[in-house]
Amino acid sequence: MASPRSLVDKFCPLPSKRERRKEARPGELLAAALDLFVEKGFAATRSEEVAARAGVSKGTLFLYFPSKEELFKAVVIENLGGRFTEWNAEFEAFEGTTAEMLRYCMNVWWERVGLTKASGLTKLMMSEGGNFPELAEFYRQQVVRPGHELLRRILQRGIDRGEFVPMDIDHAIYSVVAPMVFLMLWKHSAMVCVDGVSTLDPEKFIATQCETVLHGLCVRPGSPA
């Protein structure tokens, strides 16, 4: 009589080592591409380097991603653009004050993006986007605009609930974005944007910047409606 494992193998066979390797390749290629794009930039990274780092041939790379541009787009979606569904769901479920939401938003961004290699994609686009306008527009569509829309929803929530003063939201968004951009530049520019003497603690920096923003946004007792 066949053993239980034999029956499972017969009707639900495990993929062979080669098949498992094939299934894993897209993720490995994206990870390798992220590493190289952040280390070398888009223009200097060659497709064959990505394939070599992932342990596959250049031909295999092109089976999944027909060009370096398509590979870069997939890296952006995988590491940044694809997160907004999750973040908007968190916005909908959040039950605290809007000030707490803004603090949470900035800290979660640092934990899930700023601390990771993916934060280098923003620096890359800032330095090379002008040379690759199609990729720059793609980045705006997948990252910048959804990010601004989420921040717009947060600020509007505060206004609607009487927690924040009325404001020009389109410009107030940049007050929240600017500290995040600074941290990405600090992390990926050999820290040349600090004095090299004092220590920058990212968590304390975010807390300080968040309180600075909130003190300008929050309604204070005795202030006119």
Side-chain angles (χ1 to χ4, degrees), residues 119-222:
S119 59
L121 294 172
T122 297
K123 176 182 176 291
L124 184 157
M125 290 310 305
M126 293 176 70
S127 60
E128 298 191 60
N131 296 325
F132 301 96
E134 180 187 350
L135 292 182
E137 178 56 25
F138 178 84
Y139 184 85
R140 281 191 290 267
Q141 290 175 358
Q142 296 294 323
V143 181
V144 177
R145 290 168 191 157
H148 283 202
E149 183 55 35
L150 178 56
L151 289 174
R152 184 175 289 106
R153 295 181 72 194
I154 293 173
L155 297 179
Q156 189 64 56
R157 178 187 192 263
I159 295 171
D160 293 343
R161 290 161 61 106
E163 297 170 326
F164 290 173
V165 296
M167 69 190 86
D168 180 338
I169 291 180
D170 288 338
H171 287 84
I173 285 170
Y174 292 105
S175 297
V176 181
V177 171
M180 301 178 186
V181 172
F182 171 81
L183 280 180
M184 286 185 282
L185 294 175
W186 166 78
K187 181 178 174 64
H188 295 281
S189 299
M191 303 183 186
V192 296
C193 47
V194 293
D195 61 17
V197 179
S198 56
T199 301
L200 177 65
D201 182 316
E203 287 80 9
K204 290 182 179 179
F205 173 79
I206 289 173
T208 300
Q209 295 300 314
C210 195
E211 294 310 306
T212 300
V213 170
L214 287 172
H215 289 160
L217 293 178
C218 291
V219 171
R220 293 174 289 279

